[in-house]
Amino acid sequence: MALDATTVVRVKAQLDFDVSDTSQDTILTTMVSAVSRQIEKYIDRPLEISTETEEYDGHSRMHSIYLRRQPVTDIFYIKTRSDWKFDSAAAIDADLYHLVGETGEVL
């Protein structure tokens, strides 16, 4: 189930509807979900928090990498390998890079 951008209770409060009146909940739920999917299309990412794995082809002169999904709240690890055998790649010490969470930039 996808995460919606808001709740029916919040919509009712914004529209000054009686929160205890559930007669319109089905249509409001449908509308909230439809608008949430449109928001996801517009921002080109899901609203829900998820764990992602990304791979990049880089070189030693690269100063930064922009991750595909933002905002980024945490990086579990960054691995580097020069021979494309990623199963045995070594993790880089977290003190050697910096994350700009809002933009997804790793310096």
Side-chain angles (χ1 to χ4, degrees):
M1 177 183 272
L3 181 68
D4 286 331
T6 191
T7 65
V8 171
V9 171
R10 286 181 178 163
V11 170
K12 286 180 178 181
Q14 188 67 33
L15 297 173
D16 202 24
F17 287 2
D18 181 2
V19 178
S20 63
D21 178 5
T22 60
S23 64
Q24 301 298 316
D25 281 8
T26 301
I27 188 68
L28 290 173
T29 300
T30 301
M31 293 173 74
V32 165
S33 292
V35 170
S36 297
R37 300 303 71 81
Q38 290 298 316
I39 290 170
E40 287 179 329
K41 285 181 184 178
Y42 182 77
I43 65 174
D44 194 26
R45 66 175 183 250
L47 294 171
E48 62 191 340
I49 296 171
S50 64
T51 300
E52 301 290 327
T53 299
E54 297 185 11
E55 294 180 5
Y56 292 88
D57 181 14
H59 52 79
S60 61
R61 292 180 301 216
M62 290 180 70
H63 297 287
S64 63
I65 293 173
Y66 285 90
L67 301 176
R68 293 179 189 97
R69 297 221 9 222
Q70 309 87 32
V72 178
T73 57
D74 196 14
I75 294 178
F76 294 109
Y77 58 82
I78 295 177
K79 291 184 176 183
T80 183
R81 189 75 179 173
S82 59
D83 62 4
W84 297 99
K85 295 180 182 175
F86 292 107
D87 292 339
S88 61
I92 298 173
D93 186 336
D95 292 335
L96 298 178
Y97 60 85
H98 172 72
L99 169 66
V100 181
E102 284 299 311
T103 63
E105 184 179 18
V106 180
L107 305 165

